[in-house]
Every structure is written in structure tokens, then in C-alpha cells.
Amino acid sequence: MFGTRADAVVDFAYIVTVLAPLFAFLSVRLVRQGRQAAHMRVQTALLAVCALAVVALEIRIRVAGGAGKLVAGSPHAGSALMNAVAAVHICGAVATYLVWGWLVFLSRRRYRSLLPGAFSRKHKIAGRIVIGGLCFTTLSATAVYRLAFWG
């Protein structure tokens, strides 16, 4: 799709990763407009699409015979740089998705009963952490994509 060695599944996962922070920011605007139910729907759908992209990518990696085989055409395949960048990306993405999943789960349970309330402050802080994590995940995914599939 982008003229790289990446296939459609990899490109799909990358596009979802790049667009996720944008949709998360737009979702925050919904809250500021007083549209909390719409915010909740967007966040839930966005998390589901992102999780689907991760699962699709994981299946693609397994079908290829592992990440090393998927990126075998890269001059950086197996290098310390590639391994370090990929490890940092994966750790950051997993941490972000865990916090995000926790936030969506608790927020859906508490919606209409405790919001706004004591949980609102924690929700706002966790939301900022998630958006920061999504931005970091986009940057680190770009670095992995660049090393693995360009050039």
C-alpha cells in the first residue's frame, strides 16, 4: 500500500495505530461538548478496532513463522537496534492497551452511577496517560515500520 515490503495486514495495523490518537483526541472533544455517551461509544469502538488490528498482526506474524521471518527483507532484521526498538514499542503498546482496557471497562460499569464524581478525576488522569501512550505507540510503531519495511 505504501510502496514498502509490508503487506496489507501490516499496513492495516500501522494505519490503525497512527489514527488512534487522532480519534482519541476527537473523542475528548465530545466530552467537552457534553456528549459523554458518544465519547464512551467512540472509545469502546476505537479500543475494539485497535485490539482487532493487534490480533490480525499477531496472526500474520505467526503465519510468517515469527517476526524475524516477517521482516527478513530488512537490512535491520535481527539487529540490536531493531530488537530494541521493537521491544520498547511492544512494552509501551501493551502498557497503554492494558490501562485503556481497564479505563473503558471501569468507565462503562460506572457510567450514569458515579460519573461525574470521585472517579472523574482518576478517569481524566488515566485518559491522559492513554492518549500519551497512544501517541508514543504511534511514534514507536513508525520507527519499527521504518526499520522493518522501508529501504
Side-chain angles (χ1 to χ4, degrees):
M1 176 189 292
F2 297 122
T4 67
R5 286 184 305 278
D7 62 19
V9 174
V10 173
D11 283 345
F12 168 72
Y14 180 63
I15 289 167
V16 168
T17 300
V18 168
L19 293 177
L22 186 67
F23 280 95
F25 280 121
L26 293 173
S27 176
V28 170
R29 292 189 70 199
L30 293 172
V31 172
R32 292 185 179 149
Q33 295 169 355
R35 300 173 58 199
Q36 285 79 7
H39 167 76
M40 181 179 63
R41 286 190 302 273
V42 168
Q43 284 296 314
T44 302
L46 183 58
L47 178 59
V49 170
C50 287
L52 173 70
V54 169
V55 168
L57 183 59
E58 179 61 25
I59 290 169
R60 176 64 186 102
I61 289 168
R62 289 178 188 266
V63 167
K69 293 211 173 150
L70 184 64
V71 302
S74 169
H76 302 287
S79 71
L81 175 64
M82 179 67 176
N83 292 341
V85 170
V88 168
H89 165 69
I90 291 166
C91 289
V94 167
T96 297
Y97 279 46
L98 287 174
V99 172
W100 195 11
W102 167 83
L103 182 60
V104 166
F105 176 77
L106 279 183
S107 298
R108 289 186 70 81
R109 281 188 52 210
R110 295 175 181 212
Y111 183 69
R112 297 213 192 270
S113 64
L114 296 176
L115 293 176
F119 183 66
S120 291
R121 180 166 153 55
K122 291 176 188 170
H123 180 99
K124 195 178 216 181
I125 291 168
R128 287 182 176 148
I129 291 168
V130 168
I131 289 177
L134 289 174
C135 291
F136 173 81
T137 300
T138 294
L139 293 173
S140 62
T142 299
V144 170
Y145 189 88
R146 166 69 177 92
L147 290 171
F149 301 108
W150 288 354

